[in-house]
Amino acid sequence: SQTIHQWPATLVQPVGSPLSLECTVEGTSNPNLYWYRQAAGRGLQLLFYSIGIDQISSEVPQNLSASRPQDRQFILSSKKLLLSDSGFYLCAWSSPDRSYEQYFGPGTRLTVT
Amino acid sequence: AQSVAQPEDQVNVAEGNPLTVKCTYSVSGNPYLFWYVQYPNRGLQFLLKYITGDNLVKGSYGFEAEFNKSQTSFHLKKPSALVSDSALYFCAVRPLGQGGKLIFGQGTELSVKP
């Protein structure tokens, strides 16, 4: 069966520090991968999605970036965090032929101080 | 603009009573429709989907949803609520031709009291 992992589970970082959040998927190949941010425990904002290695689309311009160094690994990064980057970051995957059905990881709670 | 609306921030229901969580959408064409549930500090879990066919779809944990094309709605329902159903519920749509991109509603907090 497929599983999706995210780490760390929680993170507290000062303003201006770098960020690296990791997401990996097991049990499937060539998944579509997604990064979402959920602010204030509510609406989901799609940040990035990827349909393959080196194929990443950005949905919202900001100081975050995403990379996909391996087929089942998706990384969210920032060179300098802002206070407004605080939130709950969710990674999700879907199979290429059923891309509409997404499965979410447990999330990373980021607090920027 | 394509959007999803969940008009109620919170829904309160007594255990054993039926529940409805509302969702309306505004997208072109015939979208795919979804419901997800989120428990505190957890990722979203897929509940059910409507792609085509019968307007009433059944999903996990006894939930069902009814697609109404004329009213562009996809309300989530359950005949008898449980305290354990208390969570944040999200409606989502995937417009045709948008690949795997989903548009999510703002979420509805369901509270089921004993």
Side-chain angles (χ1 to χ4, degrees), chain B residues 2 11 13 16-17 19 32 38 46 52 54 56 65 79 86 91 93 100 102 105-106 110-111 114:
Chain B
Q2 300 179 111
V11 170
V13 178
N17 284 0
L19 69 88
Y32 294 176
Q38 184 180 32
F46 173 80
T52 186
D54 193 348
L56 184 66
S86 299
C91 181
V93 299
L102 296 179
Q106 286 300 300
L110 173 65
S111 177

Side-chain angles (χ1 to χ4, degrees), chain A:
Chain A
S1 63
Q2 300 88 1
T3 55
I4 178 168
H5 304 279
Q6 286 186 247
W7 63 88
T10 60
L11 189 60
V12 180
Q13 292 283 94
V15 168
S17 64
L19 173 73
S20 180
L21 303 181
E22 190 165 342
C23 171
T24 58
V25 180
E26 297 177 355
T28 186
S29 59
N30 195 31
N32 292 347
L33 296 171
Y34 311 84
W35 277 112
Y36 290 89
R37 177 169 57 204
Q38 185 177 30
R42 279 292 187 175
L44 290 160
Q45 180 184 39
L46 178 63
L47 301 175
F48 300 94
Y49 72 96
S50 171
I51 60 172
I53 292 177
D54 296 328
Q55 300 180 72
I56 300 171
S57 297
S58 173
E59 290 297 298
V60 182
Q62 55 209 324
N63 69 320
L64 298 171
S65 62
S67 61
R68 186 168 177 174
Q70 300 180 42
D71 179 47
R72 291 171 290 173
Q73 184 183 30
F74 205 25
I75 295 174
L76 184 69
S77 304
S78 174
K79 293 182 179 178
K80 289 185 178 182
L81 282 168
L82 306 172
L83 284 174
S84 58
D85 291 324
S86 293
F88 193 46
Y89 288 82
L90 291 162
C91 181
W93 74 274
S94 65
S95 72
D97 57 345
R98 291 166 63 91
S99 60
Y100 48 81
E101 197 167 313
Q102 296 183 14
Y103 296 90
F104 286 77
T108 295
R109 174 76 58 193
L110 172 66
T111 304
V112 182
T113 60

